[in-house]
Amino acid sequence: MSIVVTGATGHLGRLVVEALLRRGVAPGGIVAAGRSVEKIKDLADRGVVTRRADFADTASLQEAFAGAEKLLLVSATTPSERIGNHQRAIDAAGAAGVSLIAYTSTLRAEATTMTLGRSHWETEQYLRERHRNAVILRNGWYLDNYTEQLPLYRQNGVIVGAARDGRVSAASRADYAEAAAVVLTGEDHAGAVYELGGDSAFTLAELAAAVSSATGEEIPYQDVPVTRLAEIYREAGLPAEFADTIADADRGLALGELFTDSSDLRKLIGRPTTTLAEALANAR
């Protein structure tokens, strides 16, 4: 029996595989699944089982999940395709006899108004209806969403957003990956819903101040309307649907939908979450 991690060719899935290995799971007991397994050949070289899993291809999902005891369903990227992709994966896992499914959702999925959130809530409902041993990992925003833009912030000399004075409880991808590994290797998590976020929330103005401090450059925050932010993303080359979705996340941030005072993440990983200052230092 094995633990399957979908999206292992992506950032979060890959980090979960690494976290499982650090926790002592034998490489042969981990299935790293993704559309392009050539991207994770190095994991195969270390003994991790790699299998192709395309959310749009039910047959590939059934093959990827065969013999699995536990599954981490890392949410699909494209919002308009997410629900159908997730439903196929959940059905395939049920057919394969997977005993526990953990799903990476978003904070307060039942109440969020964000475009990203609606598909997560529908997925949660579908999963609960069809699998009694489900674990919901409601991941907050990634610190990496900001630190990966550090070169762009410095190039432009400004951080642009539409979040007003909303606070975001961001944590690193590595923090969320470690929490997923804890759940996948532990007991008594079935049925749990974890609201996961960083210990120290911040506004985007505070982000700008932290970036300025870390770089030694004055990089202010500029707030714009959500529609203008989406235009800026499209002008930068992002696909229209993705640009609109990311801009809408700032609208949710402004409304407090990316804030949590839950200590679930800190409790699961057994340590304080990564701070903004630490993330910026690591990024530099």
Side-chain angles (χ1 to χ4, degrees):
M1 302 295 280
S2 57
I3 299 172
V4 178
V5 178
T6 70
T9 53
H11 294 298
L12 180 62
R14 171 62 183 249
L15 288 170
V16 173
V17 172
E18 296 287 359
L20 289 170
L21 291 169
R22 286 196 303 274
R23 294 185 68 79
V25 179
I30 303 171
V31 177
R35 283 189 297 179
S36 305
V37 292
E38 63 273 10
K39 294 181 179 179
I40 47 175
K41 181 181 181 301
D42 64 304
L43 291 178
D45 292 341
R46 293 159 62 186
V48 175
V49 179
T50 59
R51 295 177 183 169
R52 179 179 176 273
D54 184 340
F55 284 145
D57 180 357
T58 298
S60 76
L61 295 172
Q62 293 172 339
E63 292 173 6
F65 301 163
E69 179 184 4
K70 298 178 181 179
L71 167 69
L72 176 66
L73 177 56
V74 177
S75 56
T77 303
T78 307
S80 61
E81 300 174 358
R82 179 176 282 159
I83 296 171
N85 286 339
H86 292 171
Q87 290 176 346
R88 282 186 288 273
I90 292 166
D91 291 344
V98 174
S99 63
L100 182 139
I101 301 175
Y103 170 66
T104 61
S105 185
T106 193
L107 287 173
R108 295 192 302 279
E110 78 283 0
T112 184
T113 64
M114 293 186 300
T115 302
L116 281 171
R118 290 193 291 270
S119 56
H120 280 303
W121 176 235
E122 289 189 43
T123 298
E124 284 190 20
Q125 292 176 295
Y126 191 87
L127 176 56
R128 290 192 188 93
E129 290 170 0
R130 286 158 177 78
H131 208 286
R132 60 191 178 92
N133 290 334
V135 184
I136 308 300
L137 302 171
R138 289 180 169 173
N139 290 352
W141 215 233
Y142 299 150
L143 283 171
D144 313 62
N145 292 341
Y146 301 120
T147 58
E148 288 169 359
Q149 296 186 71
L150 191 55
L152 189 62
Y153 296 155
R154 300 182 71 180
Q155 176 184 321
N156 293 339
V158 66
I159 296 175
V160 180
R164 301 200 300 272
D165 58 355
R167 303 184 70 78
V168 55
S169 301
S172 69
R173 281 196 190 98
D175 289 343
Y176 294 119
E178 190 172 341
V182 168
V183 167
L184 292 168
T185 57
E187 303 295 334
D188 302 323
H189 294 290
V193 178
Y194 295 112
E195 300 283 352
L196 304 177
D199 295 331
S200 300
F202 54 87
T203 66
L204 295 195
E206 290 169 338
L207 167 67
V211 169
S212 298
S213 177
T215 62
E217 304 169 19
E218 186 61 31
I219 301 176
Y221 172 63
Q222 179 182 351
D223 202 76
V224 298
V226 176
T227 53
R228 177 55 189 147
L229 185 61
E231 289 175 359
I232 291 171
Y233 288 149
R234 287 194 293 271
E235 290 166 0
L238 290 183
E241 181 183 10
F242 191 60
D244 291 344
T245 299
I246 298 302
D248 181 72
D250 261 27
R251 181 190 61 80
L253 200 167
L255 295 174
E257 295 182 9
L258 289 174
F259 171 83
T260 181
D261 57 5
S262 168
S263 60
D264 286 350
L265 181 54
R266 181 174 67 253
K267 290 177 180 177
L268 281 175
I269 64 179
R271 58 168 174 80
T273 62
T274 304
T275 66
L276 174 59
E278 289 168 341
L280 288 171
N282 291 337
R284 290 200 67 197

